Amino acid sequence: MKILALDTATKTGWAICRDGKIFESGVQDFSKKRGESNGIMFLRFRNWLGAMMDLKPDVVAYERPHHRGGPATEIAVNLAGRVQEVASEKGIEYGIVQTTTLKKWATGMGNASKEEMMVEAGKHLGRTPIDDNEADAVLIALWAWEEYGA
């Protein structure tokens, strides 16, 4: 079973898990250039996501966006919607994990820090993650493996 895991944000962390092991992971930057709208960022994300879906994952898992208000919420909710949209178009199941659930699963504490999550992800990667976005994606992938694949 192959899982595509995403920590959706302007800098989206991603990981591919095959049979319970991280196969590949990284961070994709969708930062806007001067004069660009959020819509352009969403189009870039959707195009990239479509290419990732061509890898034919069995499940796409992502972290539920937080509702903090303002532009960050608009971006997070719209990216999550695109994940659902593209997965549905491709006939791929998707799963959502709450942040506290993921943190508790990974570290035993629902309020784990970014640093603690990076340490935990590093144990599975055999290296330090690029940033907290990649770390979260790696942990989402492994959570999803237990939830959907094992």
Side-chain angles (χ1 to χ4, degrees):
M1 171 173 264
K2 189 188 308 179
I3 296 168
L4 171 62
L6 304 167
D7 182 32
T8 57
T10 301
K11 292 184 179 177
T12 293
W14 61 274
I16 298 170
C17 178
R18 284 192 186 155
D19 300 324
K21 298 198 182 331
I22 299 300
F23 177 71
E24 194 173 352
S25 63
V27 176
Q28 186 69 31
D29 190 349
F30 298 102
S31 297
K32 295 182 289 186
K33 296 174 180 79
R34 185 177 173 165
E36 289 183 338
S37 67
N38 284 349
I40 296 297
M41 177 180 26
F42 299 146
L43 287 172
R44 273 201 300 269
F45 177 82
R46 193 180 195 293
N47 288 336
W48 171 83
L49 183 59
M52 294 298 280
M53 295 292 196
D54 288 344
L55 299 172
K56 307 223 181 299
D58 299 292
V59 175
V60 177
Y62 67 96
E63 191 173 0
R64 183 175 304 280
H66 296 273
H67 295 279
R68 297 181 183 122
T73 297
E74 177 189 353
I75 290 168
V77 169
N78 273 282
L79 293 176
R82 276 152 185 97
V83 172
Q84 293 175 12
E85 179 181 59
V86 174
S88 294
E89 281 178 1
K90 303 277 187 179
I92 298 170
E93 180 180 2
Y94 60 86
I96 307 165
V97 63
Q98 294 279 1
T99 302
T100 53
T101 300
L102 180 66
K103 288 180 176 191
K104 187 166 186 170
W105 176 87
T107 69
M109 301 176 299
N111 64 346
S113 68
K114 289 180 188 249
E115 292 77 21
E116 289 166 323
M117 295 291 279
M118 285 186 64
V119 166
E120 196 59 38
K123 292 176 186 176
H124 299 282
L125 286 172
R127 63 170 173 80
T128 302
I130 296 166
D131 62 15
D132 60 292
N133 301 302
E134 181 186 27
D136 284 354
V138 164
L139 296 171
I140 292 165
L142 296 170
W143 169 85
W145 169 254
E146 279 191 15
E147 194 72 19
Y148 301 102

